[in-house]
Amino acid sequence: MTDVEELRVLARADSPRGEVVLRRRLLTGACEVDELIVNGTFAMDSAETSTERALARTLPRPGAEVLVGGLGLGFTAAELLRLGAGRVEVVEIEGCLVSWARAGVTGTLAAVATDPRVRLTIADIADVLRTEDDRRWDAIVLDVDNGPDFLIHEANARVYSAELLAAAADRLRPGGVLAVWCQGPAPALALTLAGLGGAVREELTEVVRQGRQFTYAIYILTR
Ligand SMILES: C[S@@+](CC[C@H](N)C(=O)[O-])C[C@H]1O[C@@H](n2cnc3c(N)ncnc32)[C@H](O)[C@@H]1O
């Protein structure tokens, strides 16, 4: 593992879900890694973002309109923009993260916040998906927690419920895609998605993070 020379807090705030901290690890060899800690739990870092970016590669076509649940460090949204998404609406529960993105606290967050195709909304994605409106999306991508089996926020269990996933699927245009990131295989989630009608695909990726091996999973429903 690379030695940490310095740990710098870039921003911190308290929210109803606990403390949100964005910090930067300065590693030997002039390497920097940004990390997001929520309520004392590691949420993600910028050292290994292959699966956050893979989530964006479920984009069905350039120009597509995408609803994203969870801003995080902005890697999924940035990749959607790089791939030519026409519109990216990011729903993020922590208002401080949206403020830090607008303030340009990291380069990736700044790039996302300043792109004219992006709208950042402070809300719970579960509330957004349950609201009756006639907006339809070419893709909905959800990365708000570790997945149904290892939640950071217990309240996010409803995001992975059959009711919410069905509401999300109903917001898709024909040929649309619903993609869900999980920290490990989640067979029950795959079954729930399969019950919504359409084809379900599981993408498993072996990832090494800070010396530990993980099998991250993305579940993709195409309607
Ligand atoms: C792991 S991060 C997302 C990482 C992101 N895919 C990226 O590439 O950086 C999860 C994000 O979802 C947010 N979040 C958690 N629960 C949420 C909810 N119910 N609605 C919206 N955002 C939520 C967290 O505050 C955090 O910013």
Side-chain angles (χ1 to χ4, degrees), residues 67-211:
L67 175 65
V68 178
L71 173 63
L73 295 177
F75 285 90
T76 302
E79 184 73 355
L80 284 165
L81 296 167
R82 193 186 70 78
L83 294 171
R87 179 176 163 215
V88 178
E89 174 141 351
V90 184
V91 176
E92 167 57 48
I93 202 166
E94 303 296 358
C96 58
L97 261 179
V98 171
S99 302
W100 299 340
R102 290 184 175 136
V105 170
T106 74
T108 305
L109 286 173
V112 169
T114 54
D115 192 296
R117 292 170 289 171
V118 173
R119 192 165 89 161
L120 299 175
T121 301
I122 302 166
D124 185 326
I125 188 71
D127 293 335
V128 170
L129 289 172
R130 284 200 318 199
T131 306
E132 286 291 331
D133 74 28
D134 53 10
R135 279 186 301 176
R136 293 292 174 266
W137 303 94
D138 299 303
I140 298 177
V141 300
L142 301 177
D143 179 11
V144 293
D145 213 300
N146 287 327
D149 305 318
F150 177 45
L151 295 168
I152 297 178
H153 301 309
E154 281 303 319
N156 276 339
R158 62 186 184 147
V159 174
Y160 306 97
S161 68
E163 181 208 348
L164 238 291
L165 294 171
D170 287 346
R171 296 287 193 89
L172 295 174
R173 297 191 176 115
V177 167
L178 170 61
V180 186
W181 186 98
C182 296
Q183 192 181 268
L189 176 68
L191 273 179
T192 303
L193 289 171
L196 300 179
V200 177
R201 204 169 80 242
E202 176 190 61
E203 277 181 15
L204 299 180
T205 306
E206 299 294 325
V207 166
V208 177
R209 207 185 72 215
Q210 296 183 17

